[in-house]
Amino acid sequence: MKKKKIIIWTVVLAFLALGGYMLATSKDESTTYTTESVSRGDLAQTVSVTGEVVSSDETELSFPLTGRIESVLADVGDRVVKGQKLATIDRSTFPQQLRQAELDIKIQKENLSNMERNKGTYSKDQRDAQKATIKKTQSAYESVLRQNRDNSLYAPVSGMVIQRSVDQGETVIAGKTILVIANPDDLLLESNVPEVDIIGISKGQKALTTFDALSEDELFMGRISDIDPAATVIQDVVYYRVKIHIENFDQRLKMGMTCNNDIITAEARDTLMVPQRAVKKENGKRYVEILREKDKKQEVEKVYVETGISGDNGMVEIKGNLLKEGEKVITFTKEKK
């Protein structure tokens, strides 16, 4: 009898151990899922760059001759009007140069008159050569007059002086820029975009802008108005200069202010979207896994999808109607062993 009880208890304990093992194994083998809902909204893909406020119209001024600066009559920040004198070059030697040029013409004309009176002594070729010499002296005389007129620099347009590179007494060479005039009432934004981002940028695209000098809540709308075809290299990095026209211009904006531009390269309105980490690849196709509840059990359904743009917020557009708003997509699966 005692032996029989021992056998019974042994069997009971064995069943209990087996049941505990199966329960433990079942619990350890359970899978947990992290999900997020399919949502609907707006997506935007942007390129973010800093820049500055510049004038849309800048004019560089220079003297057409070399000389010593006698006076500079405008400074940075001064407003000037068209025709206003801005600078002069010292022409104290002008009277002497003019007298010399006039004397040269007189002497060469007298020489020609002497040749005409003595045609037997001078050939026709010699007389023609003298006439050419007179033309050269006349050109030199006109050059002296022209240089005297060019010793004063006048504003070709109205605007504001934004750059000055010379002072009184300095010597400048012909063609060197000494003043820059810009229109402070016609401003735009200028940014350098890295070559890795320029491919997605084109004229007409929208840009959202904030300014360091203003509140971050003050958002300005603009559009790409121009893209330089040639690159600018800054510290061995290739950039392309992009200009943005401000649509809601504010009089508080000044040239030189720093701006922060978010250029919208792609956008989708009122579209279905899921987190990027929910989209997986299989044999070149994209799919998401939907977690469904059926008879109090969890089931995973694989749904192949067509994706659109990837937004800056980590979401990706889902095209078509294979997914429904509110469905749960799996973003992470954890299998317990």
Side-chain angles (χ1 to χ4, degrees):
M1 186 70 178
K2 184 176 180 180
K3 187 176 180 181
K4 185 177 181 181
K5 286 184 178 180
I6 292 173
I7 294 173
I8 293 173
W9 277 109
T10 300
V11 173
V12 170
L13 290 174
F15 272 106
L16 288 174
L18 179 62
Y21 173 78
M22 293 180 64
L23 181 63
T25 303
S26 175
K27 184 176 181 181
D28 289 342
E29 289 181 348
S30 64
T31 303
T32 59
Y33 302 99
T34 302
T35 64
E36 288 193 35
S37 298
V38 178
S39 58
R40 181 177 292 277
D42 299 334
L43 278 180
Q45 197 173 72
T46 64
V47 171
S48 298
V49 289
T50 59
E52 68 172 329
V53 181
V54 300
S55 172
S56 63
D57 184 19
E58 295 185 2
T59 304
E60 298 181 349
L61 305 183
S62 61
F63 282 104
L65 66 158
T66 299
R68 185 177 65 86
I69 296 295
E70 182 180 55
S71 65
V72 182
L73 307 174
D75 205 350
V76 174
D78 292 346
R79 281 185 175 266
V80 297
V81 296
K82 183 178 180 179
Q84 180 178 334
K85 183 185 287 189
L86 302 179
T88 60
I89 280 184
D90 180 19
R91 297 297 294 159
S92 58
T93 59
F94 169 69
Q96 180 183 349
Q97 291 176 328
L98 185 62
R99 285 194 300 270
Q100 183 62 51
E102 290 173 339
L103 180 60
D104 289 343
I105 293 175
K106 181 179 179 182
I107 291 172
Q108 298 305 327
K109 284 184 175 180
E110 288 177 352
N111 289 340
L112 180 60
S113 297
N114 182 53
M115 289 180 176
E116 293 290 351
R117 287 194 302 269
N118 298 281
K119 290 184 178 181
T121 305
Y122 299 98
S123 66
K124 183 178 182 302
D125 289 341
Q126 289 175 313
R127 295 195 300 273
D128 289 343
Q130 183 59 28
K131 291 177 182 178
T133 300
I134 292 175
K135 287 184 178 179
K136 288 182 180 179
T137 57
Q138 288 174 334
S139 295
Y141 172 79
E142 292 172 358
S143 177
V144 171
L145 292 177
R146 185 170 57 253
Q147 289 181 11
N148 187 60
R149 292 193 300 268
D150 292 339
N151 80 317
S152 295
L153 196 62
Y154 298 90
V157 294
S158 296
M160 178 183 289
V161 178
I162 63 170
Q163 182 179 324
R164 167 180 164 173
S165 58
V166 295
D167 291 314
Q168 183 178 354
E170 293 183 15
T171 298
V172 294
I173 61 174
K176 177 187 176 183
T177 299
I178 64 169
L179 294 171
V180 178
I181 297 176
N183 184 353
D185 301 318
D186 188 10
L187 304 178
L188 51 78
L189 311 179
E190 198 172 86
S191 295
N192 290 316
V193 178
E195 63 176 328
V196 295
D197 295 321
I198 198 65
I199 297 299
I201 294 178
S202 59
K203 288 184 180 180
Q205 287 177 337
K206 292 188 294 186
L208 301 177
T209 301
T210 59
F211 295 88
D212 289 354
L214 304 178
S215 168
E216 292 183 357
D217 297 331
E218 296 189 68
L219 200 61
F220 291 77
M221 178 68 72
R223 289 189 181 274
I224 303 295
S225 59
D226 195 25
I227 302 172
D228 278 5
T232 300
V233 179
I234 304 174
Q235 296 181 346
D236 297 328
V237 179
V238 177
Y239 294 90
Y240 289 84
R241 185 169 55 184
V242 171
K243 295 180 179 179
I244 302 171
H245 175 74
I246 311 169
E247 294 183 351
N248 52 331
F249 182 78
D250 193 306
Q251 293 297 328
R252 293 174 297 171
L253 301 180
K254 308 295 181 186
M255 285 185 292
M257 282 186 173
T258 302
C259 59
N260 308 289
N261 305 308
D262 288 331
I263 302 170
I264 302 174
T265 56
E267 60 182 335
R269 298 279 186 178
D270 192 31
T271 187
L272 289 176
M273 51 186 166
V274 299
Q276 289 182 350
R277 60 183 180 277
V279 180
K280 302 175 179 64
K281 267 188 175 183
E282 182 181 68
N283 298 325
K285 296 181 179 180
R286 289 179 170 83
Y287 70 92
V288 297
E289 292 177 319
I290 305 295
L291 185 64
R292 305 188 188 282
E293 294 283 344
K294 187 175 182 180
D295 298 330
K296 296 183 179 182
K297 293 183 179 180
Q298 293 182 329
E299 291 186 353
V300 177
E301 178 185 352
K302 181 186 293 186
V303 179
Y304 289 94
V305 295
E306 180 185 358
T307 59
I309 70 169
S310 297
D312 297 331
N313 58 353
M315 304 293 282
V316 62
E317 177 187 11
I318 301 297
K319 296 184 176 181
N321 55 4
L322 294 176
L323 299 184
K324 295 181 180 179
E325 186 176 356
E327 286 185 318
K328 300 294 184 180
V329 291
I330 297 174
T331 57
F332 181 73
T333 300
K334 183 177 181 181
E335 296 183 359
K336 294 183 179 180
K337 296 182 180 180

